[in-house]
Amino acid sequence: MEIEFYMLDDTYEVIGNEPHILIYGISRDGRRILLRDRRFRPYFYVVLSDDADPNAMAKKIKALSEPSSPIIDVSPVERKYFGKPVKALKVTTVIPESVRRYRERIKGLPGIVEVLEADVRFSLRYILDNNLRPCGWHRAEVAEIPKKPGLRVEAEYEVVGPIVSLEDSTPPRDLRILAFDIEAYSKTGSPKPVQDPVIIIGVMNDKGEFKSFTANGLDDKDAIQGFVKYVVDYDPDIIVGYNSDSFDWPYLLERGRKLGLKIDVSRRLGVEPQTSTYGHVSVQGRLNVDLYRFAEEIPEIKVKSLDVVADYLGVMKRSERTLVDYTEIPKYWDDPSKRSILLKYNEDDVKSTIGLAEKFLPFAMQLSYLTRLPLDQVGAASVGNRLEWFLMYEAMKAGELIPNREEKEAEPYKGAVVLQPVKGIHDNVAVLDFSSMYPNLMIKYNVGPDTIEREGECSPETHNIAPEVGHCFRREPPGFFKSVLTKLLELRRAIKSELKKYPPDSVEYRLLDERQRAVKILANAAYGYMGWVGARWYCRECAEAVTAWGRDTITRVIKYAESLGLKVIYGDTDSIFVKYDKEKVEKLIKYVEEELGLEIKIDKVYKRVFFTEAKKRYAGLLEDGRIDIVGFEAVRGDWAELAKEVQEEITEILLKEGDLEKAIEYVRNVVSRVKSGLIPLEKLIIWKTLTKKPDEYSAEAPHVSAARKLMKRGIRVDVNDKIGFVVVKGGGRVSDRAEPYIFVKDPKMLDDAYYIDHQIIPAAMRILGYFGVTEAQLKKASQQTPSQRSLLDFLKQKKNQST
């Protein structure tokens, strides 16, 4: 019989002396099922020296066979290695764990050049070999078999024939998602599961149903058991948390061991969650996704706490949610009149988590579908590892052997061009972006570890020679990376074309849009991947050559733009900022396409933008009225939230209203409010991470001093803890006056002079200093009737003064 199913995950088990691949999925009719494939066996490849006899080597390898996992086949195969045909043997055994042991024994034999692919995990090898796509639909020839005891699925099948991807990533209509969040009780700082109970576990499912499991005082046994039962009963396909891989799951598991409880929530009775590859927590049969992994990839969000990320992404306004500091959790729990506040805090966390799942999961699922890494792993994997799995599949399909991963020492190389900006205010500025510049350069010049000429003759007639660095690449035949990147860019173009068929608010549009974004990220990662020392296809010269061609290309484009009379204001990596002249810009685009064979387009147009003399630092007003800030943010760990708020407000006033005096007046008002103690204390907290134990610091930094004060109060402090402190009034060094913020309740206790001189004024001066504004001007008493002097007036005066 044939069955169609949506693939969630796969794993394996060994029964008797036979490995079984286990595929968890959802059938077309909505049943949660398990497919068991008993036919697949672990294997690896052996590359032989040119003078080795394959038959003789096969006999030697077979002679190493062990009864516990016999070598059942050694066969010669036709394969390429870095583009060149090699003599190779495919060695097949029985038990996956024996592969690495055989690798070590075989690689010492005379005539063996290399042993490859022994480090490819068995369950993921099955995905690659069978062209499977996690988060995608498949058809398989199966036979229904009696469901084995302990499986929490509705049916079990044995795969007896082909299993084929249907190339469809549409999620099942009834995909079940569950968000959860725990609160732990500790009066001594960071909670420890061996002694501190879990007092609240909040859950919310994809239907919007919220439930809270609470401890009986400090007895958390029933709460944990209630959570476990709920998970099993609701039977989610995806479980989401926020920082759950690092906190919630490890805490529950260790707490369970302390209490003699099993966190038995998987689709396999008695199998607890466990930390697996890339540091993610694996829940067999379900997909556990830590959404924090995706928040980490948003550079605009500097503080990655759940409340801040949810606010930034429009899930839940921080100003409208309940906030409780973890150090005060015992106070709220112990006081019956305050306990409801703590419960609401947990509920808001869970609601934020399910809201972030709606934002992140569509992209994550497309990334899983494209890379073939299961959803629970794709978030935890680095961008390089995600691309690598895509490359591994493409290599296997092309008959290329996959190189081993070998850690090497990092070798630096020169990066991209970043021009010195023309400082000042500029109106009507177009930003021209190269479309996938680095992938296209790799395609154009056939760059890759299999095309680089390190020893043979390098001729301009037959090779591409990188400017500046001189690295040489064969023009023919097309290399592995050229083939893969061509496919990726063609795929993205096809997806974007398909997008046009659907309205932007449709499910189809969102799915395709997330897929094209995932494809773009993979393609753009290729050049950096080659320069990553952990890459299987590591090639420092390749990465260096790509950046050299990138610098050469953008330099040529800038020269041509200037020859057209276009004023170039700034350039960075793969984009240039020019004074917008429609006709001249069109000529520049035509030159790039026809002469350089690359694509460039107008990415955005600023109505007004200003630059300081610093690179990568500008702020612009877009045509739709949005403010775009790059590099100005006060985002270092020693800046309070108020400093960033001041910068953002100043920028908006200057760009939207062009009113310098109003911006100055705004800062003066903030200064006045700080002096009067009217700023909420939470906006004045400074956060800094402890990189070592407090007693290991030689210098007494403010956050170290605050950490030591926490310890004196009996609160435990660990390495990597974020220490929140405020600076209070008094004499002596700042570090002496740095107090843990939880001990300070009245904003009037804070040292207003410190916050004015070291937070507000420096943050404001990063922008206003360009316009000649002085610190003294900002500290003047607030004016009730500002003169409304415009930026234009100010700059005219500045110009007159200079002449």
Side-chain angles (χ1 to χ4, degrees), residues 189-190 192 326 687-692 703 715-724:
S190 298
K192 306 295 179 190
Y326 79 93
W687 292 93
K688 197 89 170 175
T689 302
L690 282 176
T691 56
K692 47 191 174 183
H703 72 296
I715 297 175
R716 281 196 307 272
V717 173
D718 294 327
V719 176
N720 295 324
D721 280 356
K722 281 190 173 180
I723 307 298

Side-chain angles (χ1 to χ4, degrees), residues 61-82:
I61 291 170
K62 283 181 180 176
L64 299 174
S65 186
E66 300 173 352
S68 60
S69 178
I71 293 175
I72 56 178
D73 187 59
V74 183
S75 302
V77 289
E78 291 186 6
R79 290 291 185 275
K80 292 176 289 182
Y81 190 40
F82 287 104

